Amino acid sequence: MSVRIGSVGIIGAGAVGHTVATLLTAAGWVDTILVASRIQVSADALVADLEDLAVLLDSPTRHARTPVGEMLGCEAVVVCPRAPFTNTATADVRMAGLIANAPLIADLGRAFTGYGGTVIVVTNPVDVMTWAFAQSSGVSRVYGVGSATDTARLRVTLADIHDVPVSAVRGRVIGEHGDAAVPCAITVNGSPVDVDPAVARAALTDRPQRINEGLGRARSGPAGAVLAALMTALGLVDVSAELSTPHDGSCIGVPVRFTGGQGLVTDPGLSPEQQRLYTAAAAKVRTAFHTIRHHLTKEESAVHTRITAAGHHVTVTSMTPAITQWAARYARPWWGATETTTAPRDGDIPVVEADLDPAAVSRLVQSVLDHTNETAPYAGATMVYRYDDEDCTVSAAQPGLDLAYHYRPQARCMHIVGCTETAVATAAARFARELMRARLFADGWHVLHASAAVRGDGETVLVLGDKGAGKTTTALTLARSGNWKLLANDRVFARVEDDGRVRILPWPSAAAIGLGLLDALGVYDDVRSRLLAGEQLHPTQDKAVTAALTAGARQPLRNSAGKELKVQFFPDQLPWLGLELATEGYAARVLVPRVAPAAQPALADADRRGIQPGDFFTSTSDDRYTDVFRLIDLTPSAAAQREALATVLGALPRQRLMLNHDIKANSDLLRSL
């Protein structure tokens, strides 16, 4: 192999560590192998043994024992130590090492804080330990090899059963490296085959048990999986591999496609039954992870992010920094967001407490279902809720999302618990905005169904219209035209100020943009290349959109109901589209567009309709964010304020226009106004 790697660290001088080092020495494409072990004599012995091997094979690889802390300069590190314990489990054998190995892996992870290389984890239970190392270290490129080993074992077993070469068997095993493994996409000589559960058990449980009984511990198979993972993750070969890595709120085996060393998790293409098993595996690993999560920080304490808009504040607090960081990511491009070490006092300012706690989810869901309750749609999913008249609290759950809520109005505190980091972080950011919405509403602000773009002098164009009218197209086109910035994509806050002008604030949210519009804007290729390089778009994005982007499809994509499926961007990803974001403005003109691909961009007849009640989102008319928690206080003055706002907006210059998908022609028309 012509490509060479400078150094690889191996932590653990046991069976797997020894075999990995042997294979790397024989391969000869690593300049230096550094070995670390809690037992110094073992590390010294392994180095001596490897030096003998290198001489016999004329391998250029050098070897040295080193402390773990000196491995931060390695291109990659293999983590395969094992805490001293006796495994007496007869079922779920790999999970038996959970409690013993967790403190060891957590300590190693902390030693690698700031590391920029690749980490390959072997220690069992490998899926949980991979997640623990990633969480305690903050390293982004951490992979476990359990599913790769399982895939090899299943292919060998099926080749024997069908009497074909192993090369004739294709497919993968994903999910947990253990009792919850999921074989999928299996073919023999190109023809799909169903894997009998007994066959899968023989390959994934009985086979490794026989190996362990005969050798004491499996070594060559896991070591081969490590070598293959290193070759892909270090960019020596471009292939797909089944590896565990933190993804979508868990850490189980998934297909990862590597290009130039950059890994991208791909859709495994599961049947409904396989998807059920895969979901169960993710839940099993999640539950195990939460039992050892206390090991991941020496002094775990809550992290706080304070969000500010128009002089009002809301705090998001969590024991998981990624959750507060997510809320800041939503708010910061348009509102203020600062980290603070000061915990808010009850009732001081509104607070969102958000944490991962599967047991609390179960308790809260059951509490809601055991009492008289109501249902309502909320953010695209069903919410079940109940009011407690005694303490005036509200309890709610979204069982389909594994989320539960408890709101204490007197303390102005929303407590959210969930099973996945992504779901909890999304809910926390959403409710931080909803609590801010309540504060702004009490201060005279109202929400308009509008997009907006701001000129350099602060004058703002509001774009009104129903869904699909072209609000996003108009605002994006303006924001990419010279001295303009994007203020909002779909909703805005508006209030009449003392000087009679209408001040506009943004509504932080993910931005949904169709594939066709991305192509028309000329940014499709850049967005696609970012996705292929491993950038993660918003998790609410439909998987079909991700697949279409990955495949290079540019035509608008629709679901079975005819609704267009769009690319979902975090607010801080909008600059990818050549946009600058504005934080406020003052309404100066209203545009009412209509988009028709075959039309010529042109001004239409003047619009005389004025601002209608349907242009406002209220606590009763908002069908996406239903006011289940009674956050909005319907004061007597609210209707009068809204009417005054409609009057001022109705007096602004107003123009209807026709647009198409020719961005240049649309820009020329908008500049002419």
Side-chain angles (χ1 to χ4, degrees):
M1 182 174 291
S2 59
V3 179
R4 297 193 60 76
I5 301 301
S7 59
V8 171
I10 298 177
I11 303 173
V16 175
H18 195 154
T19 310
V20 169
T22 299
L23 291 175
L24 286 174
T25 301
W29 45 264
V30 176
D31 289 337
T32 305
I33 295 175
L34 301 178
V35 178
S37 173
R38 62 185 175 84
I39 304 174
Q40 181 175 324
V41 67
S42 297
D44 288 335
L46 177 53
V47 167
D49 194 29
L50 294 170
E51 288 173 337
D52 292 348
L53 175 67
V55 170
L56 290 167
L57 297 181
D58 195 24
S59 169
T61 301
R62 300 184 303 275
H63 308 85
R65 177 178 61 81
T66 185
V68 167
E70 295 183 14
M71 290 185 175
L72 294 179
C74 293
E75 280 89 333
V77 174
V78 180
V79 177
C80 52
R82 181 179 184 271
F85 78 100
T86 301
N87 191 343
T88 59
T90 56
D92 220 4
V93 175
R94 297 178 184 91
M95 196 62 76
L98 177 69
I99 303 303
N101 287 328
L104 173 64
I105 297 300
D107 283 342
L108 283 175
R110 281 187 285 274
F112 279 84
T113 301
Y115 178 59
T118 297
V119 177
I120 307 298
V121 178
V122 187
T123 304
N124 274 323
V126 63
D127 305 291
V128 187
M129 295 301 103
T130 300
W131 198 355
F133 190 99
Q135 187 82 357
S136 60
S137 67
V139 176
S140 60
R141 293 167 55 82
V142 182
Y143 302 101
V145 296
S147 289
T149 309
D150 287 343
T151 297
R153 288 168 174 167
L154 183 62
R155 289 181 64 202
V156 169
T157 301
L158 291 176
D160 288 342
I161 291 173
H162 292 275
D163 194 22
V164 297
V166 174
S167 60
V169 181
R170 298 294 180 189
R172 58 175 67 100
V173 177
I174 59 175
E176 182 210 14
H177 177 49
D179 291 6
V182 183
C184 58
I186 306 297
T187 63
V188 175
N189 286 326
S191 299
V193 296
D194 292 326
V195 179
D196 186 287
V199 172
R201 184 170 57 253
L204 306 179
T205 302
D206 299 345
R207 182 184 180 89
Q209 183 176 345
R210 291 198 308 272
I211 294 172
N212 290 341
E213 289 172 352
L215 295 177
R217 190 178 178 196
R219 57 198 71 196
S220 297
V226 169
L227 197 69
L230 286 172
M231 293 174 68
T232 56
L234 293 174
L236 304 183
V237 294
D238 291 345
V239 295
S240 290
E242 294 74 47
L243 300 170
S244 54
T245 190
H247 173 70
D248 198 22
S250 191
C251 184
I252 56 176
V254 290
V256 184
R257 186 178 67 238
F258 287 91
T259 305
Q262 295 297 318
L264 175 67
V265 175
T266 60
D267 188 347
L270 303 177
S271 69
E273 175 60 14
Q274 290 167 346
Q275 183 64 56
R276 184 188 69 78
L277 295 173
Y278 178 83
T279 301
K284 177 183 176 182
V285 169
R286 252 193 324 267
T287 299
F289 175 76
H290 287 299
T291 66
I292 55 92
R293 190 165 168 267
H294 59 283
H295 291 295
L296 304 186
T297 54
K298 288 290 189 183
E299 296 179 0
E300 191 172 33
S301 58
V303 182
H304 316 287
T305 292
R306 176 168 290 194
I307 297 170
T308 304
H312 298 283
H313 308 282
V314 173
T315 294
V316 178
T317 181
S318 177
M319 301 296 284
T320 303
I323 291 174
T324 57
Q325 290 164 6
W326 185 299
R329 185 178 185 183
Y330 253 85
R332 188 173 289 124
W334 279 311
W335 293 350
T338 56
E339 290 188 0
T340 175
T341 57
T342 304
R345 298 189 304 271
D346 262 8
D348 182 17
I349 62 173
V351 175
V352 177
E353 297 174 344
D355 281 299
L356 295 163
D357 192 340
V361 173
S362 298
R363 290 195 301 269
L364 263 174
V365 170
Q366 199 60 48
S367 172
V368 174
L369 297 179
D370 283 347
H371 294 78
T372 301
N373 57 69
E374 302 176 57
T375 62
Y378 190 87
T382 298
M383 179 173 280
V384 185
Y385 61 97
R386 72 179 186 89
Y387 301 112
D388 190 322
D389 294 330
E390 290 186 10
D391 60 10
C392 299
T393 61
V394 186
S395 299
Q398 291 179 289
L401 301 178
D402 286 331
L403 286 170
Y405 312 83
H406 186 68
Y407 180 56
R408 295 179 290 138
Q410 292 183 341
R412 292 190 288 182
C413 179
M414 172 69 73
H415 185 61
I416 303 173
V417 289
C419 297
T420 70
E421 191 174 279
T422 297
V424 175
T426 303
R430 181 180 297 128
F431 274 100
R433 185 186 60 203
E434 290 302 296
L435 287 169
M436 181 66 77
R437 177 186 188 180
R439 299 282 279 176
L440 292 174
F441 184 85
D443 201 20
W445 295 87
H446 294 268
V447 180
L448 282 168
H449 190 191
S451 59
V454 180
R455 203 166 60 184
D457 58 6
E459 290 201 347
T460 301
V461 168
L462 286 177
V463 188
L464 299 178
D466 297 329
K467 293 180 180 178
K471 297 188 301 299
T472 298
T473 298
T474 304
L476 291 181
T477 303
L478 270 174
R480 288 164 50 87
S481 301
N483 188 30
W484 291 85
K485 296 180 181 180
L486 183 69
L487 182 67
N489 179 56
D490 185 63
R491 302 183 185 210
V492 298
F493 288 98
R495 183 179 73 173
V496 179
E497 300 291 275
D498 292 340
D499 60 5
R501 294 190 299 169
V502 175
R503 186 181 174 193
I504 306 295
L505 295 178
W507 168 280
S509 67
I513 302 174
L515 295 171
L517 180 54
L518 281 183
D519 194 28
L521 290 170
V523 296
Y524 180 97
D525 290 328
D526 181 56
V527 172
R528 180 171 181 265
S529 67
R530 289 175 182 270
L531 176 67
L532 294 177
E535 294 271 10
Q536 299 294 314
L537 292 165
H538 197 276
T540 59
Q541 178 171 294
D542 193 286
K543 290 182 179 179
V545 176
T546 304
L549 260 178
T550 302
R554 298 170 185 263
Q555 296 302 312
L557 192 65
R558 300 187 183 277
N559 62 16
S560 57
K563 178 183 177 182
E564 184 176 3
L565 303 177
K566 299 181 178 182
V567 182
Q568 303 280 340
F569 294 92
F570 281 100
D572 62 1
Q573 292 173 332
L574 290 175
W576 296 0
L577 311 183
L579 301 168
E580 288 188 66
L581 304 182
T583 57
E584 68 174 340
Y586 289 87
R589 175 183 288 269
V590 175
L591 297 181
V592 184
R594 181 186 168 201
V595 174
Q600 289 297 317
L603 302 180
D605 295 337
D607 188 87
R608 307 293 182 188
R609 190 174 69 103
I611 305 298
Q612 301 296 308
D615 293 322
F616 289 93
F617 284 109
T618 68
S619 59
T620 55
S621 70
D622 193 340
D623 60 356
R624 181 161 180 78
Y625 303 111
T626 312
D627 191 21
V628 167
F629 298 92
R630 301 174 177 173
L631 302 177
I632 304 298
D633 184 10
L634 296 175
T635 61
S637 61
Q641 291 171 346
R642 188 166 60 246
E643 191 171 325
L645 175 59
T647 299
V648 176
L649 290 175
L652 295 176
R654 185 183 182 97
Q655 179 65 59
R656 292 175 59 231
L657 61 156
M658 180 68 71
L659 303 175
N660 60 20
H661 289 169
D662 184 337
I663 298 301
K664 182 180 183 305
N666 291 342
S667 298
D668 291 342
L669 174 66
L670 290 168
R671 276 195 295 266
S672 72
L673 291 175

